[in-house]
Amino acid sequence: MLKPLGDRIVLEQIETEETTASGIVLPDSAKEKPQEGKIVAVGAGRVTDNGERVALELKEGDSVIFSKYAGTEVKYEGKDYLILRESDILAVIG
Amino acid sequence: MLKPLGDRIVLEQIETEETTASGIVLPDSAKEKPQEGKIVAVGAGRVTDNGERVALELKEGDSVIFSKYAGTEVKYEGKDYLILRESDILAVIG
Amino acid sequence: MLKPLGDRIVLEQIETEETTASGIVLPDSAKEKPQEGKIVAVGAGRVTDNGERVALELKEGDSVIFSKYAGTEVKYEGKDYLILRESDILAVIG
Amino acid sequence: MLKPLGDRIVLEQIETEETTASGIVLPDSAKEKPQEGKIVAVGAGRVTDNGERVALELKEGDSVIFSKYAGTEVKYEGKDYLILRESDILAVIG
Amino acid sequence: MLKPLGDRIVLEQIETEETTASGIVLPDSAKEKPQEGKIVAVGAGRVTDNGERVALELKEGDSVIFSKYAGTEVKYEGKDYLILRESDILAVIG
Amino acid sequence: MLKPLGDRIVLEQIETEETTASGIVLPDSAKEKPQEGKIVAVGAGRVTDNGERVALELKEGDSVIFSKYAGTEVKYEGKDYLILRESDILAVIG
Amino acid sequence: MLKPLGDRIVLEQIETEETTASGIVLPDSAKEKPQEGKIVAVGAGRVTDNGERVALELKEGDSVIFSKYAGTEVKYEGKDYLILRESDILAVIG
């Protein structure tokens, strides 16, 4: 299992196939919108200057929209994950 | 539903058709003023260094003026939204 | 009405016609000094890291001098306004 | 009257004519040392993250040395002033 | 022994041999994913603005994934170590 | 007298003539080490975000080593001084 | 004696002669690893925004590994020292 540190989360990207009006599937480089993912693990939260830990708003299982290009890709036990900071998550879907 | 995180908000842009004195409708690239939008969802607020969460000043339904170029465009269930931080909102109209 | 957020203010610029010794009216690009304006609305103030809101020093009706180039121009109900942060205001006249 | 905001001050520059050993008066561009000024008004002070206002060390009437290039020149009722932050003042003379 | 300061940690990199489908071992320059390591020592933690020391989340023996390029390589008693800040660690494996 | 503000100090540079092995006096541009000075005045200290003033560690009369290039040169009553922040002082000699 | 200010320390660099397998002594420019040093003096510590002084973790006599290129070289009474901030020290050896 991957346990992220601080205000980081681990998520799986959700591939969203994209088809144009004429039925052409767009290659990755032609898509410019943020991506969707599912949270698989969350960190314990960042520590403020008062020494208090702030729990994350997100929890395991949340579907989220995140900034493309954010985070670091990690391959773990044959699967691809993305590790980001909670601040790179734009919104929860649900 | 899209639930924004922290001090973020989700809004729908309001298209404001613009016509010159001679009746010509200006294309988008010729307009340089900030944009108008309607808030559809607000986050729970940012957490200060004291560990307190600061509720947003904005609420669902507010009409706002925001900085052009701010935020990230998101398409969700066929509709276009913009996700911004409250600090990108200049003023509430009303 | 435009209600600015946080430590922002809305002001109307005061046009100050400028004439040279020989009576020539200077075009805008030849003037390089800060501008004058009248406050029409002020925000509720910024929130400190202690979670307290700090009221603005400025109030509606104040005549102020502000940094040229600061702020964002907004057209609202046919009139031009400028939205700035209080920190862009140099001094109150009066 | 000009009332500066926050930790800003208003001062009048003191022109210090400079003469070389051979009696030549140096033009402005040849002088590279900090400038002298007299404080004509001080702001109420900045507000810390604890919500407390910190009064300025400077007061009206102080003669000061300040960083050349700092601040904004303002013409008010026919006289030239300079508006700076207290942090741009290097020292008080006296 | 190497005792890291503040929020720093010392780790040993774990070499992960990589083989392509056709059995070719990839040279280092062709791998672009984050690296794995084992923590051998942790610092006492950073001191917040309240003067409190925040203990690290990591402990000796943890296997971690860290940002490639982060940290400083140190050779000590013939062995290679990497010294990083805890914030350069993405996740704990376990 | 020059009274520096906040965490600033006023010092006199101590000229340290430098002679090479062969007796050649090095010109200024050939020296690259930090400079020595004697403190002639210290400010009241900076104010923290808690509104408390932190007295300087340095006091009048201290001989110090400071970062070359730091600070601003000031000529006052025919003598040259340097005004720096305490953080530009590397160490006290004594 | 050199008494460093705030969170600064004074150290003596330890020259570590380096010899290649074939017995060639490497010139300085060919070494790219962090350097070793011995602490000869430590400052009183930095002051937090709460006005509290945070004592250094390091003490006189500690052998440390530090970031190459960090700090300022100082020659004092014929000996060479390096003045750095504690944050430039990577680890204590011992």
Side-chain angles (χ1 to χ4, degrees), chain A residues 25-70:
Chain A
V25 175
L26 290 174
D28 257 29
S29 60
K31 299 188 227 171
E32 286 292 33
K33 12 171 237 71
Q35 316 254 277
E36 225 178 295
K38 189 167 201 118
I39 309 274
V40 299
V42 302
R46 70 171 173 106
V47 174
T48 70
D49 275 352
N50 274 12
E52 287 173 58
R53 196 172 287 276
V54 182
L56 299 197
E57 284 188 65
L58 294 164
K59 61 180 188 304
E60 207 188 307
D62 280 350
S63 291
V64 297
I65 287 178
F66 59 92
S67 311
K68 208 181 167 174
Y69 309 122

Side-chain angles (χ1 to χ4, degrees), chain C residues 9-78:
Chain C
I9 58 156
V10 179
L11 60 74
E12 287 177 273
Q13 280 195 249
I14 296 170
E15 306 292 337
T16 55
E17 201 134 341
E18 195 120 306
T19 315
T20 65
S22 57
I24 295 160
V25 175
L26 290 174
D28 258 28
S29 60
K31 299 188 226 172
E32 286 291 35
K33 11 172 238 74
Q35 316 254 274
E36 223 178 298
K38 189 165 202 120
I39 308 275
V40 300
V42 301
R46 69 171 174 107
V47 174
T48 69
D49 275 352
N50 274 12
E52 286 172 57
R53 197 171 284 279
V54 182
L56 299 197
E57 284 187 66
L58 294 163
K59 59 179 190 306
E60 207 188 306
D62 281 349
S63 292
V64 296
I65 287 178
F66 59 93
S67 311
K68 205 181 170 176
Y69 309 121
T72 309
E73 291 186 357
V74 176
K75 191 177 211 101
Y76 178 66
E77 296 183 343

Side-chain angles (χ1 to χ4, degrees), chain B residues 34-51:
Chain B
Q35 317 253 274
E36 225 179 295
K38 190 167 201 119
I39 308 275
V40 300
V42 301
R46 70 171 173 106
V47 174
T48 69
D49 275 352
N50 273 13

